[in-house]
Amino acid sequence: MAAQATFKSIKSLVPLFDRVLVQRFKPETKTASGIFLPTSATNNPLPEATVIAVGPGAPNKNGDIVPVSVKAGDRVLLPNWGGSSFKVGEEEYFLFKDAEILAKIKE
């Protein structure tokens, strides 16, 4: 279950280090013809998300900052596990480490 955040807007959240803030795509629960789909039929094997914000990167062993591999607006593929979830109002968001993101989806 996601923790409820106390800030007013997701724009006020700035990820630190190599953290990536994402919002998962909501699966369609109704077909074009109006048939409601059960939750089991809408679960994707690997969830997709939109990157909302990224941190500046994390230092490597030499102390150099290594930037994250995605940017705000990118579509990414997430693992089914991990990440820290929280809600802002009714919207749910997740923070992942850059290395936990499986792939960037090119349009």
Side-chain angles (χ1 to χ4, degrees), residues 27 38-46:
T39 305
S40 61
T42 60
N43 286 341
N44 293 333
L46 293 172

Side-chain angles (χ1 to χ4, degrees), residues 45-99:
L46 293 172
E48 292 180 26
T50 300
V51 176
I52 306 299
V54 298
N60 63 14
K61 64 181 179 180
N62 298 325
D64 300 320
I65 299 295
V66 178
V68 295
S69 57
V70 295
K71 64 183 183 316
D74 284 347
R75 285 180 55 203
V76 294
L77 197 61
L78 301 172
N80 284 324
W81 47 266
S84 298
S85 66
F86 59 95
K87 283 189 169 188
V88 176
E90 294 300 313
E91 297 293 323
E92 187 171 21
Y93 297 90
F94 294 84
L95 277 169
F96 281 90
K97 282 190 167 191
D98 184 46

